[in-house]
Amino acid sequence: MNGLFLLLAMGLCVLALGFVVTPLLRAPRRDEGQSQQAINLAVHRDRARELEHDLAAGTLTRAQHDSALADLERELLDSGAIGHDEGPAHQDQAPRRREQQSGRRMPLVAAGISVAVLPFMATGLYLTVGHAEEVFALATPAGAMTPATQASPPSEATLEREFQHLVQQLQGRLAQAPDDIASWILLGRTLVFLDDLEAAERAFREAMAHGGERDPDLLIRYADVMAERQGTLVGEPQRLIERALAIDSRHIQGLWLAGSLAFQQQEMVAARAYWERLLAVLPEASPEAEVIRGNLNRLAQTAQPNDARKFEEVSP
């Protein structure tokens, strides 16, 4: 992973340099047309040529020709195309070439500096503000113990304090948003962990009252807590299980509880049907599937309904 990160970082750096260096190395565009001064001179020559043509054709007199030519020269001076004391054009060509060469050298120098300096600047910046210790750290050998893995798991008292704090947070949130079904369900599950089944039942009841009656998971959790408190699945827990299975006929916990209830009531055919449906949805190699297969085998071997003690009813 570290090598892949470095390769990606180098690729991005090269890409960024491409955007910076390409414009600098590109040859300057040459002027596609003449300068404004050259254009003015060309226009002046054309108009002077026209005056000469008109003079030769007799359209203009010599006086008119000289006057018009004087006006053209005055316009040319006013346009700045030539100066009063301007020398031959070739005298300034050498300095201009030197300026152009100098201008072409500057982008090359800038490009060289960018290529040489930018990667080091980027690396230094990352080492300063990034997470270089994670990128350049050596991979931990397989089976090696890190400080995180060496740390002992939190104690039961620590977990209980954390869950108590979570209960307080959820209660504060629900005081502001009492229709938050997810928070009611999480509060109920947390209270089950804290073994406060009465409060957990109230939390699940609130979740049902705020629109959770179509959630099979909530129906089964509510039925399980209610059965734990009253000591049996008969009655309201049974109705909740039936409602959950009507919504989701492949619900694992619902099929488990329904099969256990049917067996407790000595309804062996119904128990077998529930457990066979459950076995079809459980992973074949899972421990739960082994338990259900054992229950079905014992159910097939026994004809005595009082052998319920032989059957596993442990929740998955």
Side-chain angles (χ1 to χ4, degrees):
M1 177 62 74
N2 295 345
L4 178 60
F5 175 83
L6 292 176
L7 288 176
L8 290 175
M10 292 175 63
L12 292 175
C13 188
V14 170
L15 181 62
L17 280 174
F19 283 104
V20 174
V21 173
T22 300
L24 296 176
L25 295 179
R26 185 178 298 160
R29 297 174 58 186
R30 300 182 60 182
D31 293 337
E32 297 178 355
Q34 295 175 316
S35 65
Q36 187 62 40
Q37 182 180 12
I39 293 173
N40 291 338
L41 288 172
V43 171
H44 173 75
R45 285 194 295 268
D46 291 341
R47 295 177 66 183
R49 195 177 299 113
E50 290 176 1
L51 290 177
E52 292 291 340
H53 182 270
D54 292 339
L55 177 63
T59 306
L60 295 176
T61 64
R62 171 59 66 179
Q64 291 173 333
H65 171 271
D66 294 341
S67 176
L69 185 60
D71 291 338
L72 286 177
E73 292 177 351
R74 189 180 307 109
E75 291 177 3
L76 187 62
L77 290 172
D78 292 340
S79 68
I82 60 173
H84 295 282
D85 54 352
E86 188 179 27
H90 67 274
Q91 292 181 357
D92 62 344
Q93 291 180 355
R96 185 176 301 173
R97 282 197 297 269
R98 286 194 295 270
E99 293 176 1
Q100 292 176 351
Q101 292 174 355
S102 176
R104 283 194 292 267
R105 282 196 299 268
M106 290 301 296
L108 294 176
V109 173
I113 293 175
S114 299
V115 172
V117 174
L118 184 60
F120 295 101
M121 291 180 61
T123 303
L125 182 63
Y126 181 77
L127 291 174
T128 303
V129 302
H131 298 278
E133 68 280 358
E134 298 178 6
V135 175
F136 296 103
L138 294 176
T140 303
M145 299 293 290
T146 64
T149 57
Q150 290 175 355
S152 59
S155 63
E156 186 175 347
T158 301
L159 286 176
E160 185 171 352
R161 284 196 300 271
E162 292 178 354
F163 277 96
Q164 289 285 4
H165 181 63
L166 178 59
V167 167
Q168 295 175 1
Q169 289 181 325
L170 289 171
Q171 289 173 341
R173 183 189 306 172
L174 288 168
Q176 301 295 325
D179 57 347
D180 188 351
I181 300 177
S183 294
W184 281 117
I185 295 175
L186 181 57
L187 176 61
R189 294 176 60 183
T190 306
L191 290 169
V192 169
F193 175 83
L194 295 174
D195 204 23
D196 191 349
L197 298 183
E198 183 179 0
E201 184 178 342
R202 288 198 302 269
F204 288 140
R205 188 183 305 119
E206 287 291 335
M208 294 277 293
H210 287 89
E213 66 278 355
R214 297 295 300 170
D215 184 353
D217 290 333
L218 173 59
L219 291 170
I220 294 299
R221 290 182 186 278
Y222 189 20
D224 196 19
V225 170
M226 190 178 296
E228 185 73 17
R229 289 196 65 216
Q230 67 185 31
T232 178
L233 288 167
V234 178
E236 184 62 21
Q238 181 178 0
R239 286 188 287 272
L240 293 172
I241 294 170
E242 291 173 351
R243 287 172 59 185
L245 290 176
I247 298 171
D248 182 4
S249 62
R250 297 167 59 87
H251 195 281
I252 293 177
Q253 184 73 7
L255 291 171
W256 195 296
L257 293 178
S260 299
L261 176 60
F263 184 79
Q264 289 173 4
Q265 295 176 330
Q266 299 185 3
E267 298 177 359
M268 302 306 174
V269 175
R272 178 184 297 277
Y274 283 123
W275 283 341
E276 287 178 348
R277 286 165 56 186
L278 176 58
L279 189 61
V281 297
L282 285 172
E284 185 175 357
S286 65
E288 294 82 4
E290 289 296 326
V291 171
I292 295 301
R293 277 192 286 267
N295 286 351
L296 289 171
N297 290 335
R298 296 187 190 96
L299 189 63
Q301 294 172 1
T302 182
Q304 300 296 326
N306 293 328
D307 286 344
R309 64 182 180 276
K310 296 181 181 179
F311 289 82
E312 299 277 359
E313 297 183 9
V314 181
S315 298

